[in-house]
Structures are given as C-alpha cells and as structure tokens.
C-alpha cells in the first residue's frame, strides 16, 4: 500500500488505506473464459527453513519513530504498520533466502516464491486456475489447524471490507468470492480471468497475511461487521510472533508464537520501543541500549556510519526519490516543460552531497536495479541547463513559477528540495517549497491537488513490470499521483496483465520504459540504497524488495 510516512525504508508503489475508497477501481480490465485445462505446471513448493536456526531466547529491541498505524493487515499503509503486520501474520508464500556470508541475507528474486502457510501452488495449462495445497502442520496460535476456511475468511474479509489488501487479490483478477473455491479442508482453488505472472509474489505480500478467524469473529458487530476497530488496536496474529503487550505511545512487545510451524524465531521477544526523536534513537544505538534504530533519515544514518559498535547495512535497492509533476495541470501538461526540469536537476550532486554517496544517479524512470531494467533505453537527461532553457523557450514557459509540496515527516525530501530549487533558479524557474503535515500531504496526493511533489524512498514491493504499471502509470492506476495518461502505456499494461512468457514480458517492459522516459511523468532524483543501522552483533538482516525486516531471522552473533 502506498505509504506517505517518512522517513522510512523504501515504500511500495501500491494502494493503501489512504486510498482504499478507490479500491473498487482496481479490477482488471481484461476478461477471459475457456477451459481451465489440467493442472500440470508446478510453480512453487514448500520451502525449507530459514538459513538460520535458533531456540527463541533473548530480547531484540528496535527503536521506532511511532506506533504502527494499524495492526489490521487489511489496512496496512505506512512503513511502520507494514513491517509490524509482516511479522505478525502468516503469508501464503515467501521468497527463498540467500546467505551472503557476512551475517546478512537477501531474497532470491530469481526464483518463484515457495510456500509458507501453503505447501504449494500449481497453475493449469492455460494459467487461469490456481490450485493451492495447504501445509498440514500449519496452526493458529491456539494450536488449532489452519484450514481452507482460514484462507477463505481472509479473502472474503479483504474483498468485503474493500480496504487496501483488496489489491493483492484484484491484481490477480480476483474480484468476487465465487472465484475462490474450497476443494477440501487442505486445498483451495482460484479461478482467474486471465493468466497472471505474479501469483506467488502477491501472496507473499504482508497485507495478504492470514488473520485468526476466531479472534476476528468474536469482535464482529452489526456496526463493525468485520471487527476492524478491534483488530486495528489488538491484532489477530497467525505468524511467527504474537502480541504480548501493547502500550501505545511507549512500546509494542511481540513474543514468539509457540505454535508457529516453521523454524522458531531466534529472539523470544521483540520490543518495538517508541522513540520519536531520531537523534535519540541514534544515541541509544551508539550506547547499545537498543539493537536497531529504525525509521532513520539518510543524514542521520550517515552520522552513525563508523560509530563504535554500530553497523550500517547499505544495499542497492529498487527505490527512488522522485519529483512528481502533475501532468494534467499547467505548466506540466506540456512534456517539454517536464523534460526541461529533468535536464536541470543536479543528479550527481544530490547523490553525493544530499544522500552521502549511498545512492545511484538515475538512468530512467524505471529503477536501474530492477530485473526488468533495460539499459539500452535512452535516458538523455544528464544535467544540462542550456538544454533546459531551450526547451522552456520552445514551450513558451519562460519565467515559470510553481509550487512543490513536501511532507513535514520526509526529511530526505526536504533536503533534496533546496538544491533543486537553486538549480531551477539558474534556468529562470522559481520553485516554491511548501512543507505540509503528513496527513494533508497524503490527502493531496490522492486528490492530485498540488502542482508538484517530492517524496523519498518510493519503491516497488514486487519487481515486476505489470505491478509497476498497474499501480503507477496506467491512466486508471490508483496511485497515478501525476494524472499521467498515455494510450500506449495503457495498452502495454493490459497485455502485461495476461502475458506470462518471460521474453515477451521483457519486450513490453522495454517499450514501457521508452514511453516513460520520453514523457517523464515523474523525475527520478536519485536511487538510494536501502539502509539500516544496527548494533554490530545483530545478524540475519534480510533484504527484500519491500524493505521490511523479518524479525524471526534476526539473531545475535554467537547465539
């Protein structure tokens, strides 16, 4: 879901609670029919345990900027909520893990996800039927088995609540419960309108996590038929951790789920300590009073680099800091003006001076660390003030003035804005900077009410061209915050939704990148690394595209 919370590690380009009222628009345009065929092609099987092992002892303390915005996976939106949800709720699938050999881990994105709460999923010959076999040993925290009814309850709750998690199923083409069938207590089936290339990745999304039906049903009322108010405050966990104690504004204490079927978490308890001031979080990390300082700005992390006892994890990622230009409002309804701004940006200076050298300069609207990035697609926008002036003159946009909005919670965006303002002044453009409250910024994004915006750390939770296009660049995309419209991009998005052939999908991804680079609906300012400061004895830090920590894999060196 797309978070507007900052500062934070990369956020996903997808629908969130902030735009849940628009979730009904997320149904796929394509429709299909025909025979389902025989189920033959296995795309995932149950994965083994993690690359670490442990008996579940000790406590991990993470300094966080705030409470999670919700404990309900249907409403996950901002980074802090998403990470908490990921660790409380069992996902259907997970990525296999590669051990980097230095105490860190990374998701193996070269392979399809494997089973977590499910044992396997298989696709029919025509790709329209997904047969899902459940793990026989998966249990709820009270020891009762996880059955097909648990999964069906999750899907129905997501669809009926019409909340952010509906995206996980809508993007696969599931818009009604008649498409989800209970075959037996240990098997369910999806009927899709078209083949989907991202079944596995979407089922590992944290918002697809299973809720405990019994807990939810105990708190369903006529006024709140899905128990949302209670779950948001108390949770209904099914994953590796459950909630031991929650003191809003102070701490959230998680404890290892005694009936979790996978390898036990290495830490028996995880304490999310609310420390709003990032300077204080940094100091406590230096002192060893906390193990991880989360939600830190790039500048704050840079000051921790080299501190005794501290390790700064820095991983090239698929996130971007972006300048969004609302395309259907003057002056940015003229592509030449957008291109002119792109030529004026001091990319290398932003990466080196603002982001401390822990960022790459962009090579296109598409992030260069994506598996689908095609470096042959032209990205002409090296810093060239004279070219920028020429394009502004051609567009009749001399003496241009506009306002860019920035969230007051986004420290990196604020730092980026000042040198951009200076660079634009050099080409005769006045960029006014308006800092607004995070909630208002989020609302304005949804309304597309501003002329321009800057956000840091925007990243795709699934590295896939359809995922990115469906979320951000198709004309009907819910987080198409720039109101960008291109019929060719819409056609490519529709074809990507039902194309599973890898070679054809790469061709379409390349066409998509070329169109976006020409139109520049957004200007990528930099591609920052995913960064996390920890104590040097913390191992098992796993990087995944969502930028969310997996607590059960973390351990203390020597344990």
């Amino acid at each position: 879901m797309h978070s507007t919370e900052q500062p934070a590690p990369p956020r996903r380009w997808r629908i969130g609670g902030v735009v849940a009222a628009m979730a009904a628009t997320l149904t796929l345009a394509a429709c299909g029919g025909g025979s389902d065929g025989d189920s033959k092609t296995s795309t995932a099987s149950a994965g083994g345990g993690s690359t670490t092992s442990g008996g579940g002892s000790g406590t991990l303390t993470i300094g966080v900027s705030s409470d999670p915005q919700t404990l309900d996976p249907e409403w996950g939106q901002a980074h802090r909520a998403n990470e908490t949800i990921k660790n409380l709720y069992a996902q259907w699938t997970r990525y296999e893990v590669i051990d980097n050999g230095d105490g860190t881990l990374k998701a193996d994105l070269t392979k399809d996800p494997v089973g977590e709460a499910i044992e396997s999923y298989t696709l029919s010959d025509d790709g329209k039927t997904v047969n899902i076999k459940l793990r026989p040993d998966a249990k709820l925290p009270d020891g009762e088995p996880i059955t097909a009814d648990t999964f069906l309850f999750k899907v129905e709750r997501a669809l009926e609540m019409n909340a952010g998690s509906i995206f996980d199923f809508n993007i696969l083409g599931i818009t009604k419960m008649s498409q989800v069938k209970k075959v037996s207590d240990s098997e369910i089936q999806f009927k899709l309108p078209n083949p989907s290339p991202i079944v596995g990745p979407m089922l590992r999304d944290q918002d697809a996590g299973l809720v405990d039906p019994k807990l939810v049903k105990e708190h369903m009322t006529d006024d709140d038929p899905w128990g949302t108010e209670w779950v948001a405050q108390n949770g209904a966990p099914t994953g590796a951790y459950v909630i031991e104690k929650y003191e809003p504004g102070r701490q959230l204490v998680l404890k290892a789920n005694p009936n979790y079927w996978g390898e036990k978490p290495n830490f028996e308890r995880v304490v999310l300590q609310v420390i709003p001031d990032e300077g204080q979080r940094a100091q406590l990390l230096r002192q060893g009073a906390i193990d991880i300082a989360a939600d830190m700005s790039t500048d704050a992390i840079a000051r921790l680099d080299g501190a005794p006892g501290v390790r700064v994890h820095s991983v090239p990622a698929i996130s971007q800091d972006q300048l969004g230009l609302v395309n259907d409002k003057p002056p940015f309804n003229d592509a030449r003006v957008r291109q002119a701004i792109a030529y004026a940006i001091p990319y290398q200076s932003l990466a080196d001076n603002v982001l401390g050298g822990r960022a790459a300069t962009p090579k296109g609207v598409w992030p260069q660390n994506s598996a689908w990035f095609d470096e042959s697609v032209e990205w002409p926008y090296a810093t060239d003030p004279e070219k920028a002036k020429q394009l502004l003159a051609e567009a009749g946009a001399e003496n241009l003035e506009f306002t860019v909005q920035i969230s007051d919670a986004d420290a990196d965006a604020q730092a980026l804005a000042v040198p951009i303002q200076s660079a634009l002044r050099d080409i005769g453009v006045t960029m006014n900077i308006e800092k607004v409250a995070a909630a208002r910024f989020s609302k304005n994004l949804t309304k597309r009410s501003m002329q321009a915006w800057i956000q840091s750390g925007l990243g795709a939770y699934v590295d896939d061209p359809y995922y990115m296009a469906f979320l951000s660049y198709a004309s009907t995309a819910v987080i198409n915050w720039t109101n960008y419209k291109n019929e060719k991009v819409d056609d490519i998005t529709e074809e990507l939704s039902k194309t599973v052939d890898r070679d054809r999908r790469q061709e379409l991804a390349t066409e998509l990148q070329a169109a976006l680079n020409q139109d520049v609906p957004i200007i990528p300012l930099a591609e920052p690394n995913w960064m996390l400061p920890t104590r040097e004895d913390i191992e098992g830090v796993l990087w995944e595209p969502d930028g969310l920590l997996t607590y059960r894999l973390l351990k203390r060196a020597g344990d």
Side-chain angles (χ1 to χ4, degrees):
M1 302 216 297
H2 281 258
S3 164
T4 53
E5 179 198 18
Q6 285 283 355
R11 297 165 297 168
R12 59 180 161 184
W13 286 337
R14 38 163 310 189
I15 179 178
V18 69
V19 290
M22 302 175 68
T25 68
L26 286 172
T27 54
L28 294 177
C31 59
S35 171
D36 297 320
D38 295 327
S39 177
K40 293 183 179 179
T41 307
S42 177
T43 57
S45 58
S50 72
T51 59
T52 63
S53 61
S57 61
T59 298
L60 177 79
T61 303
I62 304 175
V64 298
S65 61
S66 68
D67 292 317
Q69 291 76 8
T70 182
L71 296 174
D72 191 333
E74 267 49 270
W75 288 111
Q77 173 194 340
H79 174 83
R80 183 51 40 212
N82 286 338
E83 186 171 284
T84 307
I85 287 166
K86 180 175 183 174
N87 288 283
L88 288 175
Y89 296 92
Q91 281 76 51
W92 307 45
T93 63
R94 65 172 177 82
Y95 289 118
E96 291 192 72
V97 172
I98 297 172
D99 191 330
N100 294 319
D102 62 354
T104 65
L105 312 168
K106 65 179 179 181
D108 189 348
L109 303 181
T110 67
K111 300 178 181 177
D112 288 324
V114 298
E116 182 179 345
I118 66 173
E119 185 173 279
S120 64
Y121 64 94
T122 57
L123 306 181
S124 60
D125 285 346
D126 65 359
K128 296 179 183 178
T129 300
V130 185
N131 293 297
I132 300 172
K133 185 176 181 181
L134 311 187
R135 289 183 68 128
D137 57 344
K139 297 179 180 179
L140 295 169
D142 65 0
E144 291 295 311
I146 291 177
T147 68
D149 290 330
T150 312
F151 288 83
L152 265 63
F153 182 82
K154 165 65 188 187
V155 180
E156 183 177 16
R157 188 171 188 260
L159 296 181
E160 290 297 321
M161 282 177 58
N162 197 27
S165 61
I166 195 175
F167 172 83
D168 295 320
F169 304 104
N170 280 181
I171 196 170
L172 301 179
I174 298 171
T175 60
K176 51 186 181 293
M177 280 305 294
S178 59
Q179 295 174 265
V180 184
K181 177 183 177 182
K182 176 181 176 180
V183 178
S184 68
D185 281 345
S186 60
E187 188 173 355
I188 61 176
Q189 189 178 82
F190 290 164
K191 294 287 188 179
L192 309 181
N194 289 293
S196 172
I198 54 173
V199 172
M202 292 313 304
L203 295 180
R204 54 101 13 232
D205 188 87
Q206 75 282 344
D207 288 348
L210 302 174
V211 294
D212 186 333
K214 289 189 296 183
L215 271 180
V216 175
K217 289 176 181 178
E218 287 174 5
H219 298 90
M220 290 164 54
T221 66
D222 289 341
D223 292 334
D224 187 7
W226 291 104
T228 57
E229 291 185 12
W230 188 87
V231 176
Q233 296 297 318
N234 299 275
T238 56
Y241 284 95
V242 294
I243 297 171
E244 180 174 87
K245 179 170 60 175
Y246 187 19
E247 301 173 84
R250 183 169 179 268
Q251 65 177 356
L252 173 62
V253 181
L254 312 182
K255 67 176 180 179
N257 175 2
N259 286 305
Y260 181 64
W261 56 89
E263 287 194 31
K264 300 302 180 186
N266 294 294
F267 286 102
E268 173 64 24
R269 283 179 175 77
V270 176
V271 177
L272 303 179
Q273 195 75 40
V274 178
I275 307 166
D277 182 76
E278 72 171 14
Q280 187 180 2
R281 293 198 298 279
Q283 183 62 23
L284 291 172
L285 182 68
R286 289 189 184 95
Q287 295 169 352
I290 60 176
D291 297 300
I292 297 174
D295 309 333
M296 303 291 282
S297 68
T298 299
D299 184 58
I301 292 174
R303 291 196 296 270
L304 283 167
D305 203 0
V310 173
R311 178 178 183 180
V312 173
H313 299 264
S314 183
V315 180
I318 53 175
S319 64
Q320 291 179 329
D321 299 337
Q322 295 182 352
L323 168 58
L325 307 171
V326 180
N327 289 201
D328 64 342
K329 292 184 173 69
F332 301 122
N333 56 340
D334 189 325
R336 293 171 297 182
V337 176
R338 302 194 299 269
Q339 293 164 356
I341 301 298
Y343 275 114
I345 301 298
Y347 300 104
Q348 195 64 55
S349 176
L350 296 181
D352 293 344
N353 300 325
V354 179
L355 301 176
R358 293 182 181 268
T361 56
K363 296 181 178 179
V365 172
W366 209 263
Q368 61 195 283
N369 289 319
S370 165
W372 300 91
F373 176 75
D374 187 339
E375 62 182 11
S376 71
V377 178
E378 182 183 16
W379 175 251
Y381 307 105
T383 307
D384 187 343
E386 293 308 312
K387 180 67 173 178
K389 292 177 183 177
Q390 176 190 332
L391 284 166
L392 288 174
E394 291 176 6
E398 295 97 334
N399 302 314
L400 177 65
E401 181 173 354
F402 71 96
T403 297
V404 66
Q405 288 193 355
I406 299 170
S407 167
D408 64 359
D410 191 340
D412 284 354
Q414 294 171 44
L416 289 163
V418 175
I420 292 172
Q421 184 184 53
S422 177
L424 292 182
R425 186 181 301 118
D426 291 342
I427 65 166
V429 173
T430 300
M431 184 182 85
N432 302 307
I433 301 170
E434 182 182 4
K435 188 166 64 173
V436 300
R440 181 184 164 201
F441 181 82
S442 177
K443 185 179 294 185
N444 290 349
L445 276 180
T446 304
K447 292 180 176 179
R448 285 79 162 171
S449 61
M450 65 266 277
Q451 286 181 291
W453 47 262
I454 296 176
Q455 286 197 87
S456 68
L458 288 167
Y461 275 24
V462 176
D463 186 8
D464 181 84
Y466 173 52
Y467 183 99
M468 293 188 189
F470 184 77
L471 259 295
S472 297
Y473 299 117
S475 58
T476 57
V478 173
I479 64 162
N480 179 359
W481 290 320
T482 61
N483 268 350
Y484 171 61
K485 292 179 175 62
N486 181 318
E487 288 185 8
K488 182 177 181 180
V489 168
D490 289 344
D491 291 342
I492 292 171
T493 303
E494 183 174 355
E495 186 172 351
L496 281 169
S497 74
K498 53 191 176 185
T499 300
V500 295
D501 179 78
R502 173 82 189 199
D503 291 341
R504 177 56 183 157
R505 299 187 86 241
Q506 182 61 69
E507 291 174 358
L508 292 166
T510 297
E511 291 178 25
L512 181 58
Q513 290 171 55
L516 294 174
N517 286 0
Q518 174 66 30
D519 293 343
V520 281
I522 61 94
I523 299 172
L525 303 173
E527 298 188 3
N529 287 3
W530 178 82
M531 293 186 288
L532 183 76
T534 73
R535 293 297 297 174
E536 62 183 359
D537 64 344
I538 296 300
E539 298 182 346
V541 173
L542 170 66
W543 179 82
E544 295 186 280
D546 58 20
L548 308 174
L549 282 177
T550 300
Y551 300 156
R552 67 180 177 83
L553 298 179
L554 297 170
K555 66 178 183 178
R556 206 173 299 282
D559 287 354

